[in-house]
């Protein structure tokens, strides 16, 4: 009789582990960045449209801004793109596209196909600046205040809830900058 109960006990144990894992799935998306509250790591990167034009973090001082990490190879970037477009239209602050580990031709083709919602783009084909930013993958979105301090980081695609949260935070950053 006990031999027949052992598989049932193992099965129930696995079900309990699965249920516990499902309950914490949303929490695993929240990864605290050690860079929150610290200056955005310095970068000076070539533009996507014009590789001779360079942009740096210093170009955005004095205003809050958004840094959105994306790549043409990133399926989730396509999922979030309608919300990125809305950010570009409605946030009222610069939205910097940080094209990561991509090929220039592929990135430009992607923009041609899906639309260019960003204010400007920089490219980090080798991924060195992304390491400084603590990028785990794409997409990731950073909110940076007018002093160049990272105030928020979102890992994963932007959906309606994330968009609403980002807009609330952006409005607060804009008010802070104007005060």
């Amino acid at each position: 009789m006990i031999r027949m109960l052992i598989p049932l006990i193992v099965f129930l144990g696995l079900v309990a582990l699965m249920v516990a894992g499902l309950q914490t799935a949303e929490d695993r998306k929240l990864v605290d960045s050690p860079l929150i509250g610290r200056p955005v790591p310095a970068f000076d990167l070539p533009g996507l449209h014009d590789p001779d034009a360079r942009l740096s973090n210093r170009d955005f001082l004095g205003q809050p801004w958004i840094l959105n990490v994306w790549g043409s190879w990133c399926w989730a970037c396509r999922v979030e793109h309608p919300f990125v477009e809305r950010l570009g239209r409605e946030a009222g602050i610069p939205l910097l596209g940080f094209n990561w580990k991509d090929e220039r031709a592929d990135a430009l083709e992607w923009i041609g196909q899906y639309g260019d919602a960003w204010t400007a783009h920089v490219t980090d084909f080798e991924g060195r600046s992304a390491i400084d930013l603590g990028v785990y993958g794409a997409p990731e979105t950073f909110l940076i205040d007018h002093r160049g301090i990272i105030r928020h980081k979102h890992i994963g695609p932007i959906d309606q809830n994330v968009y609403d949260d980002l807009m609330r935070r952006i409005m607060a950053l804009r008010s802070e900058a104007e005060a």
Side-chain angles (χ1 to χ4, degrees):
M1 179 73 178
I2 291 184
R3 283 189 353 196
M4 293 177 63
L5 289 177
I6 289 175
L8 178 63
I9 292 170
V10 169
F11 175 74
L12 291 175
L14 290 173
V15 169
L17 287 173
M18 185 180 82
V19 169
L22 289 174
Q23 290 176 344
T24 62
E26 284 299 314
D27 294 341
R28 281 182 261 142
K29 290 181 179 177
L30 302 174
V31 178
D32 285 334
S33 171
L35 295 177
I36 302 295
R38 295 185 170 203
V40 65
F43 65 83
D44 183 15
L45 295 167
L48 177 62
H49 295 287
D50 179 5
D52 293 329
R54 299 188 72 84
L55 278 173
S56 78
N57 57 304
R58 293 179 305 280
D59 294 321
F60 297 95
L61 284 176
Q63 60 188 338
W65 53 290
I66 307 163
L67 187 150
N68 177 248
V69 179
W70 71 280
S72 65
W73 46 266
C74 163
W75 67 269
C77 297
R78 290 183 193 162
V79 171
E80 77 164 5
H81 194 62
F83 293 101
V84 172
E85 286 182 313
R86 285 184 61 196
L87 279 176
R89 286 191 315 267
E90 299 170 6
I93 61 176
L95 171 58
L96 179 65
F98 188 94
N99 183 246
W100 180 51
K101 290 195 169 194
D102 210 344
E103 298 291 331
R104 182 178 311 280
D106 294 342
L108 291 172
E109 183 180 330
W110 194 95
I111 286 173
Q113 184 174 0
Y114 296 104
D116 191 351
W118 297 270
T119 307
H121 293 273
V122 292
T123 58
D124 186 20
F125 297 133
E126 295 176 4
R128 292 186 182 161
S129 291
I131 290 171
D132 294 341
L133 281 166
V135 171
Y136 293 95
E140 291 188 9
T141 303
F142 296 78
L143 296 182
I144 300 154
D145 73 13
H146 64 287
R147 297 169 296 151
I149 305 296
I150 296 175
R151 300 289 291 273
H152 180 70
K153 177 180 179 180
H154 174 73
I155 298 172
I158 299 170
D159 60 17
Q160 185 63 54
N161 290 335
V162 173
Y163 177 83
D164 292 342
D165 179 57
L166 288 173
M167 286 302 291
R168 184 184 51 76
R169 292 173 188 269
I170 288 166
M171 294 305 131
L173 290 179
R174 288 176 60 185
S175 295
E176 250 180 62
E178 293 169 3

